[in-house]
Amino acid sequence: MSTQADATPSNHDLPDYAAMPRLLVGQKALVTGANSGIGRAVAIALARAGADVVVNYVVNEDAAQDVVKEVEAAGTRGVALYADVSKEDDVEKMFQQALEAFGTLDIVVPNAGVQRDAPFTEMTLAQWNTVLGINLTGQFLCIREAVKEFARRGVRKEVSCAAGKVVCIGSVHEVIPWAGHVNYASAKGGIQMMMKTLAQELAPQRIRVNAIGPGAIRTDINKSVWSDPDGYAGMMSLIPYNRIGEPDDVAQVAVFLASDMSDYITGVTLFVDGGMTLYPGFATGG
Ligand code: BGC
């Protein structure tokens, strides 16, 4: 049973995600930014579904090792690997190490992301480059290395009908413009078109490429908003389902998109957002 990490009000019971079926037995996965937030929940959920998991981190190795312990507690193998995903050399080295550890890879979840917010005319080139570098280029580099391995190896019939699965972590800001966050929204919009283009290009090789578009999920990235009562109320005015998302809400969808349950799905973003992309203002206006 998921727990509420703080006292922020929610009138909803949460699903029992721990009881979900083991859809990924024998598969090997790599999750970036897996030491916290959504990445952490995804890594643990993939393990509970039966996958071995590489837990990538760039800061806070201890937190990554804690995730490895949770992966091992689920009965699969975990390994924490360092890489700054915006750096080509780091990414190539991490994939080499991952292949040495696990022999191959079936699933990649490029998730690592940051915000460096500023009004447009105050945004520095460094803020722009950092966010584009990690959130967009980082996904490009990780997907490229993963796909080389998927294509080299082909379908491993004993674990999946596909030769590989990519599950990009995008955002509702793939489609919702976000004033004061032009670097972040541009990166997330870029993820959507990268994902669709790769889905088209790689489908003949039986490689599926999809994304998840999380809405407001309770993690450190937006803690300053949800931990403040006014901030939380403002968030709820944008969420028809009237609760904040939990990392496990996203993680379970990652398991689905990585599994053969979604074998005929490629090139889509599944929004996991409590209805944030439904133009909530139109419930009473328009
Ligand atoms: C951002 C969060 C924000 C959410 C909804 C996410 O992609 O990282 O800070 O709360 O979108 O706006």
Side-chain angles (χ1 to χ4, degrees):
M1 187 76 178
S2 303
T3 52
Q4 300 274 313
D6 80 336
T8 311
S10 172
N11 55 0
H12 288 244
D13 290 332
L14 298 173
D16 187 2
Y17 287 129
M20 299 290 170
R22 284 166 53 85
L23 297 173
L24 304 175
V25 174
Q27 301 203 43
K28 322 274 181 195
L30 183 149
V31 184
T32 67
N35 56 336
S36 71
I38 290 173
R40 176 181 194 280
V42 169
I44 294 167
L46 295 178
R48 289 187 179 151
D52 294 337
V53 185
V54 174
V55 175
N56 158 256
Y57 67 96
V58 67
V59 288
N60 201 351
E61 183 181 357
D62 287 353
Q65 294 298 353
D66 284 348
V67 177
V68 167
K69 283 193 193 117
E70 299 247 17
V71 166
E72 287 167 350
T76 63
R77 293 168 63 206
V79 52
L81 292 181
Y82 169 87
D84 174 342
V85 295
S86 68
K87 300 204 171 116
E88 190 172 30
D89 292 352
D90 278 19
V91 171
E92 286 175 358
K93 188 169 166 206
M94 173 174 69
F95 274 84
Q96 256 167 31
Q97 292 171 328
L99 294 179
E100 277 160 27
F102 289 168
T104 192
L105 282 172
D106 307 284
I107 298 160
V108 66
V109 184
N111 158 79
V114 295
Q115 286 182 218
R116 297 285 184 272
D117 311 326
F120 179 52
T121 53
E122 289 164 32
M123 187 169 286
T124 63
L125 180 60
Q127 286 173 318
W128 173 269
N129 283 339
T130 297
V131 171
L132 271 289
I134 296 169
N135 297 18
L136 183 57
T137 306
Q139 294 209 5
F140 157 72
L141 290 171
C142 291
I143 296 167
R144 194 183 62 182
E145 293 315 299
V147 166
K148 284 181 195 166
E149 173 61 12
F150 300 160
R152 181 200 65 77
R153 190 208 57 230
V155 177
R156 279 210 297 152
K157 262 197 213 138
E158 62 278 20
V159 296
S160 177
C161 330
K165 281 81 53 136
V166 180
V167 183
C168 301
I169 303 300
S171 166
V172 290
H173 301 295
E174 287 177 23
V175 293
I176 301 179
W178 203 16
H181 307 76
V182 68
N183 48 2
Y184 187 85
S186 301
K188 294 297 185 179
I191 286 172
Q192 183 170 114
M193 196 44 93
M194 175 175 67
M195 174 276 291
K196 284 177 184 285
T197 300
L198 294 178
Q200 190 193 60
E201 186 167 336
L202 300 171
Q205 295 170 73
R206 305 263 288 267
I207 296 169
R208 296 191 297 111
V209 188
N210 292 292
I212 298 173
I217 308 296
R218 189 196 307 273
T219 69
D220 284 348
I221 210 169
N222 52 4
K223 188 169 184 181
S224 62
V225 184
W226 55 256
S227 60
D228 166 69
D230 289 342
Y232 189 83
M235 237 177 203
M236 286 312 106
S237 73
L238 299 172
I239 305 173
Y241 206 54
N242 204 35
R243 76 164 167 89
I244 191 168
E246 303 295 338
D248 279 346
D249 290 319
V250 178
Q252 219 49 51
V253 178
V255 170
F256 168 70
L257 286 176
S259 79
D260 284 353
M261 294 281 282
S262 60
D263 189 56
Y264 209 48
I265 301 179
T266 194
V268 307
T269 295
L270 272 178
F271 289 104
V272 179
D273 66 351
M276 204 174 220
T277 41
L278 297 174
Y279 300 97
F282 278 78
T284 51

